[in-house]
Amino acid sequence: MTEYKLPKLPYGMNELEPVISEEILQIHYNKHHAGYVKNLNEAVKKLRDAEAKGDLVQQIVIDGAIKFNGGGDINHTLYWENLAPIGKGGGELHDGALKELICETFGSLEHLIDIMTPMCSGVQGSGWGWLGYCTVCKQLRPFTTENHDLLITKGAMPILCIDVWEHAYYLQYKNLRADYVKAIWSIINWNVVEQRFLALKK
Ligand code: MN3
């Protein structure tokens, strides 16, 4: 039976400072993300038991826990991967196919950031901001989703995500979510974003 595991972080707990404090990263990764993984494994086990018993009602009830905790695991894994410390790739978008399409679509990276920052800051309640790639229309587009909904529910594949749940910033930025989103652009790992884009674009 598959056991889902908390992925390793590609940087130290204090390396995203000053944008994301060590305290936030510790709690966000070791408590929130680890909690989603634990609850996902429990829900999958309960689903198997319900399946074995032929209990369809229970299977449908558990489905919600899998969507929430599984979405939490998938989205946080993408989020940690697409961040990098300042000076170690954070905020640096190099020339290449991704930069070209960003410039063609949005004019410049700065303009994309100007579009995405208020979108991400404006998510009502808990959710995620995304840069997605539609493999059908071959276009980049910003999105938001609620709770832990996957971007694929909107018909695009994720190449960049930003967690805008309060737990992602509140200890440091308090109510100023927009300041967190403005700051996060300096730790976006555009190399990872470009690798995801290139894998989809083929
Ligand atoms: Mn989170």
Side-chain angles (χ1 to χ4, degrees):
M1 193 171 101
T2 306
E3 180 159 353
Y4 296 97
K5 292 202 171 74
L6 189 64
K8 285 215 157 49
L9 284 184
Y11 33 74
M13 284 288 169
N14 62 357
E15 280 195 289
L16 298 181
E17 292 194 344
V19 176
I20 294 174
S21 70
E22 182 172 358
E23 186 187 20
I24 287 184
L25 191 51
Q26 287 276 12
I27 296 172
H28 197 174
Y29 173 76
N30 285 317
K31 303 292 178 190
H32 291 272
H33 189 174
Y36 301 133
V37 173
K38 180 173 173 284
N39 292 337
L40 172 63
N41 283 316
E42 286 173 8
V44 169
K45 189 179 173 303
K46 280 185 193 161
L47 182 70
R48 297 236 160 84
D49 293 347
E51 260 173 0
K53 288 180 193 153
D55 186 340
L56 183 57
V57 171
Q58 197 53 30
Q59 288 179 61
I60 292 169
V61 170
I62 295 162
D63 212 39
I66 293 186
K67 182 184 173 206
F68 182 79
N69 292 294
D73 180 31
I74 291 167
N75 291 352
H76 282 89
T77 299
L78 291 167
Y79 174 66
W80 305 132
E81 272 173 14
N82 69 214
L83 298 178
I86 293 168
K88 293 187 180 176
E92 297 165 27
L93 174 62
H94 298 290
D95 290 343
L98 177 63
K99 190 176 179 181
E100 270 174 37
L101 188 55
I102 286 176
C103 290
E104 195 185 304
T105 311
F106 304 102
S108 63
L109 175 62
E110 291 66 34
H111 195 223
L112 170 63
I113 290 173
D114 285 347
I115 294 166
M116 280 189 67
T117 300
M119 273 182 77
C120 297
S121 310
V123 169
Q124 292 183 349
S126 298
W128 294 77
W130 303 88
L131 181 61
Y133 181 69
C134 172
T135 53
V136 178
C137 58
K138 313 276 182 209
Q139 281 178 342
L140 293 171
R141 207 186 117 187
F143 294 89
T144 60
T145 59
E146 292 175 357
N147 300 312
H148 285 152
D149 290 358
L150 303 183
L151 180 60
I152 200 164
T153 61
K154 304 259 179 176
M157 296 301 288
I159 63 167
L160 162 65
C161 70
I162 300 173
D163 187 344
V164 294
W165 282 55
E166 281 187 350
H167 67 226
Y169 62 88
Y170 210 88
L171 286 173
Q172 193 177 351
Y173 295 87
K174 305 293 186 286
N175 58 313
L176 303 175
R177 188 198 257 174
D179 286 0
Y180 155 72
V181 178
K182 273 181 212 153
I184 207 165
W185 297 107
S186 63
I187 55 165
I188 294 297
N189 187 336
W190 289 103
N191 282 333
V192 164
V193 179
E194 178 161 65
Q195 289 313 310
R196 290 175 185 160
F197 166 71
L198 292 174
L200 292 166
K201 177 177 165 285
K202 279 182 214 158

